[in-house]
Amino acid sequence: MAGTGKSLLEARDLRVNYGAIAALSGFSLKLMEGEIVSVIGANGAGKSTFMNALMGMVKLAGGTILLDGCPLSTRTWKAVQGGLALVPEGRRVFAPLTVEENLRIGAFTRREADIQEDLDWVFSLFPRLKERLGQYAGTLSGGEQQMLAIARALMARPRVLLLDEPSLGLAPIVIRDIFKELRRINEQGVSILLVEQNAKQALLLSHRAYVLQTGRLLKEGNSRDLLQDPDIRAAYLGQGAGRGAA
Amino acid sequence: MSFSLSTLIQQIINGLSLGSVYALIAVGYSLVYSILLFSNFAHGGFLVVGGYACYFLLTQWGYNTAVSMAGALAASGLVAVLTERLAYKPIRERTPITLYLLIASMGVNIVIENIFVVTVGGRIRALPQSTFPTGVFELGGGVTVSASDILSLVVAAVFLVLLQLFLTRTRWGLAIRAAACDLRTAGLMGVNVTFLIALVFFVAGLLAAVGGIFLSVRYSLYPQLGSITTKAFIAAVIGGLGSLPGAVLGSLILGLAEMLTAGFISSQMRDLVVYSLLVLILLVRPAGFFGRPAGEKI
């Protein structure tokens, strides 16, 4: 599913400071309805801060966030009600709760009557979770926990699924599965915004991408073009000294 | 000092009754700890508010026992919510270091205690005799059990079961359990964390009031009654701070240890045994029976 040209989520000139340190100094991004957009960048580029800013988890020093062209609340629970759901970095499943309880808390903003239907939907995406329903989330493997974290976010029936480093700490084969599922989720109508250090996977999955460096935009464009961009190849894809390596 | 079976049974009954009151208080402690990771020493203050609210509703305004108890529970719950809003929330928003919350809670406890000293005076009061049934049942062999002991045991059990049902069967209960695991991530699920914290304080305050009323019946009512929550706190630590089953188990152990010491050794040795038990547990199992091992517990 590619973008329809209608802007769904827009961040304009976001600024976030941690004390005297500027983590984001005027970053703007647009996500169209139906699109997958990735933000790539090195450690400390401000990727997680950007995600937390969208969710109202950090205070903005400036800038605006628009959902459907209307300002989004800076309160996290209202952002979730508005249609944003974040899969946080490091998965953060509720270890002492069961898989089912994790999914139910994901549906906190939903009506009880709709929950069963949503459960069936996430089980169709991640059948393995259905087998593990009564198991404590803490006993799942890393890959399963990531599936649970994504499924938990989907239980909120988000319009935008935000993912913070979904590949972190997972084996390459598991990453491939997870990214395949993300494409399927997008095909079912969920717009996706992900931040990743694993630039290659992110660029292969997304339609468009933004490159973030120390809180500022370095480059943006079609993911396919960025995959071929010599500078990006050199800096983020680990492919030699750029030019000629293509 | 001689061992007798009837004394043993008698003291076990007394211990369970006392332990059940501790449990109500300890569970509130643990509930707040599990969410905000600090020991709320103002909890004793909430208990005193509950005790006095019940006293004045009964004696000054002449309400019946049920209405007075309900009023006391609500009053204590509201004071707990207000305490969080006025004293803890401003600190929470400025620093992640929970030690400041602990110190603030000690301050709040002193403030509440002294508000009562200034306004109603420090003298010791007793709830009216007619408040609760006063009969004593003979179980044979010299073992007796008072109606108020049975009542406190039953009421404590009812409230603990209700709390358990609330936590396991309701949407907000699930949210509280998730928040106890990871408050930030619970917020990402669309839970209004500010409301959740207020709710937790309300429930903790409400349980403290039940404990306060039964302690007022068992002993008497005075502004420093809240200091008895030190025992409930110890019970929560023994059970494992943040664990509700742990708090209940710790409370029962403590209640039994106190009463068995009183029955077989000496009443004056009660506190010595209790504190020795605490030291022993902290040496052998620092996280308590059901506690999560943590780097630092405040």
Side-chain angles (χ1 to χ4, degrees), chain A residues 89-156:
Chain A
E89 182 176 350
R91 309 182 270 279
R92 300 231 164 235
V93 296
F94 298 109
L97 304 187
T98 64
V99 168
E100 184 179 357
E101 286 172 331
N102 269 274
L103 294 173
R104 285 189 179 276
I105 188 74
F108 188 79
T109 55
R110 305 278 297 158
R111 287 185 310 138
E112 188 64 37
D114 301 326
I115 291 180
Q116 192 52 50
E117 194 184 313
D118 296 348
L119 279 173
D120 291 340
W121 177 49
V122 301
F123 292 151
S124 75
L125 293 165
F126 301 107
R128 220 178 314 166
L129 293 181
K130 195 173 183 178
E131 299 160 20
R132 306 242 189 277
L133 214 50
Q135 215 168 306
Y136 288 111
T139 65
L140 300 180
S141 71
E144 288 168 338
Q145 288 192 11
Q146 187 60 270
M147 289 176 197
L148 177 58
I150 294 171
R152 184 182 64 180
L154 289 176
M155 287 300 290

Side-chain angles (χ1 to χ4, degrees), chain A residues 5-204:
Chain A
K6 190 171 159 264
S7 166
L8 178 58
L9 180 70
E10 187 178 352
R12 277 190 200 155
D13 196 32
L14 291 195
R15 288 164 194 281
V16 176
N17 300 325
Y18 295 130
I21 301 157
L24 274 186
S25 14
F27 181 60
S28 301
L29 174 147
K30 222 176 204 183
L31 175 74
M32 303 297 171
E33 188 113 49
E35 230 183 354
I36 305 181
V37 165
S38 59
V39 177
I40 58 174
N43 218 349
K47 301 188 303 300
S48 290
T49 301
F50 172 60
M51 285 306 210
N52 287 330
L54 292 177
M55 294 303 295
M57 302 289 279
V58 292
K59 238 196 184 117
L60 288 181
T64 42
I65 300 163
L66 304 171
L67 185 72
D68 289 325
C70 302
L72 186 69
S73 170
T74 53
R75 292 188 182 180
T76 307
W77 60 279
K78 285 197 172 161
V80 176
Q81 279 183 347
L84 263 56
L86 172 68
V87 181
E89 182 176 350
R91 309 182 270 279
R92 300 231 164 235
V93 296
F94 298 109
L97 304 187
T98 64
V99 168
E100 184 179 357
E101 286 172 331
N102 269 274
L103 294 173
R104 285 189 179 276
I105 188 74
F108 188 79
T109 55
R110 305 278 297 158
R111 287 185 310 138
E112 188 64 37
D114 301 326
I115 291 180
Q116 192 52 50
E117 194 184 313
D118 296 348
L119 279 173
D120 291 340
W121 177 49
V122 301
F123 292 151
S124 75
L125 293 165
F126 301 107
R128 220 178 314 166
L129 293 181
K130 195 173 183 178
E131 299 160 20
R132 306 242 189 277
L133 214 50
Q135 215 168 306
Y136 288 111
T139 65
L140 300 180
S141 71
E144 288 168 338
Q145 288 192 11
Q146 187 60 270
M147 289 176 197
L148 177 58
I150 294 171
R152 184 182 64 180
L154 289 176
M155 287 300 290
R157 279 281 175 174
R159 299 178 59 202
V160 186
L161 179 66
L162 306 167
L163 298 116
D164 192 349
E165 303 270 5
S167 74
L168 195 75
L170 297 179
I173 186 161
V174 179
I175 296 176
R176 227 178 44 208
D177 281 355
I178 299 262
F179 275 67
K180 217 162 70 191
E181 281 316 310
L182 290 178
R183 190 179 295 282
R184 256 181 85 191
I185 290 163
N186 175 249
E187 278 161 5
Q188 300 193 11
V190 182
S191 308
I192 295 180
L193 176 61
L194 77 156
V195 303
E196 258 297 347
Q197 268 192 75
N198 188 335
K200 189 172 177 205
Q201 285 294 342
L203 290 175
L204 283 173

Side-chain angles (χ1 to χ4, degrees), chain B residues 19-45:
Chain B
S20 67
V21 177
Y22 285 162
L24 287 170
I25 305 166
V27 161
Y29 252 117
S30 257
L31 204 54
V32 169
Y33 182 90
S34 70
I35 303 289
L36 292 182
L37 302 177
F38 81 102
S39 297
N40 173 31
F41 283 107
H43 205 65

Side-chain angles (χ1 to χ4, degrees), chain B residues 220-236:
Chain B
S220 50
L221 181 59
Y222 49 98
Q224 292 80 20
L225 180 66
S227 65
I228 212 156
T229 50
T230 310
K231 297 275 181 61
F233 170 64
I234 293 171

Side-chain angles (χ1 to χ4, degrees), chain B residues 158-178:
Chain B
V158 167
F159 272 93
L160 293 174
V161 167
L162 285 177
L163 176 69
Q164 184 63 19
L165 288 176
F166 169 65
L167 290 174
T168 53
R169 299 287 164 86
T170 69
R171 200 166 145 259
W172 277 100
L174 177 61
I176 289 172
R177 284 187 296 138

